Every structure is written in structure tokens, then in C-alpha cells.
Amino acid sequence: SKAPLRVAVTGAAGQIGYSLLFRIASGEMLGKDQPVILQLLDLPQAQQAVKGVIMELDDCAFPLLAGAFTTDDPAVAFKDADVCLLVGARPRSKGMERADLLTANGAIFTVQGKAIAENAKEDVKVLVVGNPCNTNAYIARAAAIKVGRTNPANYHGMLRLDHNRALTQLAQKTGRPVSSLKQLVVWGNHSPSMYADYRFVTSNGDSVKALINDPVWNNDVFLPTVGKRGAAIIEARGLSSAASAANAAIDHIRDWVLGSDEWVTLGVPSDGSYGIPEGIVFGFPCKCSGGKYEIIQGLEIDEYSRGKINLTLKELEDERAAVASML
Ligand code: NAI
């Protein structure tokens, strides 16, 4: 049998944690033959709640769960970690400006990026879920690069929820099963500025753009529905998306670790592809195999798409400028 992999999860007492941890422990993320050890991080005042979650994990008697502990010390949580899911973040409180939100999170993610680089496995895979996730990933990566040791390409932000949201909108519009849809990409920031791009999507060989054949739907319905979905969930549920966010995190890591024949959207540090400045964490179309990913090259970017990509890039460049003094 395989040696256990160590999965660190921050914000473990939160609502995403409550959906995420059980699915990791059941083998949905790293494989049905892969034991896991859960290394949970949360704030001191949340330790009691995390202990309760561990009691419930115990009570599931998951065959693949080889251990679980909670701590409020990042160095302990990230020790020898193979995968780090950074879910905990500082939410926007009443009257908080965007700049204050960015710097409050900057303080968290500089500490955590450094602790990961100092303590985790050298080939650790890091996915930031906590918002603003692209810039939080950018900050963690910058802090990790100062330490060295870990792979700077392995600090990701989560665009997969946007990708999955867009897939279902396309399936519902075309009447085609979601599993038949290939070659979707969501470019840019996890925010309403993201650009869900279905120009390349096919369903059993048919062009989905041709199937939809509705020029106003993209701008008037599709992009606003996907971009504002988070707000719509809060409006309907009174709480932000949690189970779907946890599901997207599982999808992102599973595809990265176990491979994916299909395109997936990953928020990855740019290598300069498509004119995105190096280091900006940006949604790109990717392929994964052997535990590695690569950005799919050579896609045509028409004038409309370039405009959309520039808008979401501008937002990320502004966020980068707002945190520059912290790095
Ligand atoms: P929550 O408020 O239920 O839980 C957050 C948890 O993080 C709490 O237990 C809190 O104590 C903990 N935490 C805060 N600061 C921490 C720190 N420095 N270290 C460790 N733990 C810390 O929030 P929820 O609903 O679980 O969401 C978590 C984050 O995920 C939020 O930032 C949310 O905006 C983001 N999110 C991102 C999505 C995406 O697509 N990228 C989708 C949905 C949510």
C-alpha cells in the first residue's frame, strides 16, 4: 500500500472546510488508493471547532484517513506537506476598503508562503482558495521565493469554480451533457472581471458557439451569470458558496496530481504566455500530466477577447500594486 500524503488545509473550521475535509479523507482528491494525513490550521479561537470536525472525521472511519491534527502554528501545519489548500482568509468586514482587505490578507499570506517554503515538501502543490485568491497566491509565492526550496510554479489560485459554473451554463443553454463539453477556459482573476471564453468549446465534435448561435447571450446573460454567481448564491442562501467551492478545490488538485486529458482552467503564475506579465496569478487553459501542468499555447486571441483579458489583467495589476510594499 502507498505511503500517506500530507494535506494541509487552512481555515479548517470554516464552511468550505466542512465540505472539503470529508471528501479529501474519502479519497476523492488524491485517489481511492491513496492514504492521507490531514494537517489542519485555523486561528487559536477556532481550535475547539476544528477538534469537533476531527471527531466527525474519526466517526466516518475512512479507510484512507491515516491521521488528522489541528494547530494554530503554520510551521506545524505545513511540515512535510505534499499539498496545501489555503482556504482561511480575512473576510471583508463592514466599512473595510478594498486596499485594507488586500493588506490584511497580505499579512496572512506572506506568513503562510514563508512557512510553506520553510517546512513543506520541496515539490509541494499549493492552491489558494481564500479571497482575493489570485493576489493571495501571488503574495504567498513571492514570500516563498525569498526562502527558495519550493517550486514557484506550484503556487496557484482557484479559478475552477468559475470554470465549473461556466460549464453548467453552457450545458443548460445547449442541452448537451456537461461531460461532453471540452476546451473551456476562464481567463484572469477570480472576480466578476473573469473572462469565461467558450470560443473553443466543443460537444461531441460540434462547435458550442455555433450551437448557441446567439450573439447577445454571451455579453447579456452568460458572462454576468458566471461573473456574479457568487453574489447570487449569497443572495439565495444567505451564506457564500461553500460546497461548490470545496468541489472546485478537489477538482483542481485531482487534475493537477492525477492528470487530465482535457483542458482545465488553473490559476497559475504567468510565464509570460498570452502577454500576461510574469508572476501574475491568472486563469489559463492548462493540461496536466505526471503531476505537472502546462499552459496551452497558441490559441487565437481576437480583439474582443484581448479587451476582456486586458480588463481582468488590469484589476490584478492594481491588486499587485496595492500589496507591492508588503513584499
Ligand atoms: P469561513 O468564514 O466559514 O471560514 C474561514 C475560516 O478561516 C475560519 O474558520 C477562520 O477562523 C479561518 N481563518 C481566518 N484567518 C485565518 C488564518 N490566518 N489562518 C488560518 N485560518 C484562518 O469562510 P468560508 O466560507 O470557508 O470561505 C473561506 C474563503 O474562501 C473566503 O475567503 C472566501 O471568500 C473564499 N472563497 C473562494 C472561492 C473561490 O472560488 N476562489 C469560492 C468561495 C469562497
Side-chain angles (χ1 to χ4, degrees):
S1 69
K2 291 183 170 176
L5 291 176
R6 294 179 179 274
V7 180
V9 180
T10 76
Q15 53 154 2
I16 294 176
Y18 198 67
S19 284
L20 181 61
L21 298 172
F22 297 85
R23 296 186 61 190
I24 299 171
S26 78
E28 287 179 71
M29 188 172 82
L30 296 172
K32 295 284 183 184
D33 60 349
Q34 177 59 62
V36 292
I37 296 171
L38 290 172
Q39 310 194 151
L40 308 180
L41 181 74
D42 209 307
L43 300 174
Q45 62 269 28
Q47 288 303 305
Q48 198 57 32
V50 184
K51 282 182 186 139
V53 176
I54 292 177
M55 288 161 70
E56 286 203 73
L57 285 161
D58 285 343
D59 294 348
C60 296
F62 287 118
L64 292 171
L65 185 58
F69 65 80
T70 181
T71 176
D72 59 13
D73 180 351
V76 174
F78 299 133
K79 184 75 189 151
D80 296 326
D82 298 283
V83 175
C84 298
L85 297 171
L86 308 186
V87 180
R90 175 73 191 276
R92 190 189 292 240
S93 42
K94 228 181 165 169
M96 198 176 188
E97 298 292 332
R98 187 162 177 82
D100 300 332
L101 181 76
L102 285 162
T103 52
N105 277 293
I108 295 173
F109 287 89
T110 46
V111 168
Q112 293 188 359
K114 179 170 184 282
I116 290 169
E118 286 172 346
N119 294 285
K121 295 267 172 59
E122 286 184 20
D123 63 349
V124 63
K125 292 177 165 62
V126 180
L127 175 62
V128 180
V129 176
N131 281 320
C133 68
N134 296 55
T135 293
N136 289 342
Y138 172 83
I139 293 167
R141 175 179 182 267
I145 287 173
K146 284 193 196 158
V147 176
R149 232 175 60 83
T150 60
N151 183 351
N154 285 0
Y155 289 78
H156 294 186
M158 193 171 85
L159 268 290
R160 184 58 176 263
L161 181 53
D162 309 85
H163 180 101
N164 288 347
R165 285 168 171 166
L167 274 180
T168 296
Q169 294 304 314
L170 294 170
Q172 291 177 352
K173 177 73 174 169
T174 57
R176 298 291 180 100
V178 100
S179 60
S180 75
L181 302 175
K182 315 290 181 201
Q183 304 193 159
L184 175 68
V185 50
V186 181
W187 304 94
N189 197 8
H190 169 66
S191 92
S193 75
M194 58 89 234
Y195 171 41
D197 178 2
Y198 65 87
R199 292 175 302 139
F200 309 107
V201 179
T202 60
S203 166
N204 302 325
D206 302 325
S207 158
V208 158
K209 199 173 168 216
L211 287 173
I212 290 174
N213 192 25
D214 180 346
V216 297
W217 183 75
N218 183 57
N219 261 316
D220 291 1
V221 181
F222 177 65
L223 291 177
T225 301
V226 177
K228 296 177 191 159
R229 189 69 164 183
I233 303 275
I234 292 175
E235 179 69 25
R237 214 171 79 85
L239 288 167
S240 60
S241 0
S244 55
N247 179 70
I250 300 243
D251 284 352
H252 182 124
I253 297 290
R254 186 200 56 228
D255 288 345
W256 187 5
V257 172
L258 300 177
S260 160
D261 295 334
E262 306 304 336
W263 295 20
V264 290
T265 299
L266 303 179
V268 300
S270 179
D271 57 1
S273 294
Y274 297 99
I276 306 305
E278 198 274 328
I280 294 253
V281 175
F282 202 82
F284 282 109
C286 294
K287 269 195 264 190
C288 306
S289 84
K292 296 198 160 43
Y293 70 90
E294 57 183 84
I295 298 172
I296 292 165
Q297 299 295 328
L299 300 178
E300 193 217 320
I301 306 298
D302 57 22
E303 207 183 308
Y304 173 86
S305 300
R306 181 52 68 189
K308 291 284 184 195
I309 287 172
N310 284 347
L311 273 180
T312 191
L313 173 60
K314 169 76 168 55
E315 188 177 52
L316 284 168
E317 287 180 314
D318 289 348
E319 291 182 12
R320 180 178 65 174
V323 299
S325 66
M326 306 184 73
L327 305 177

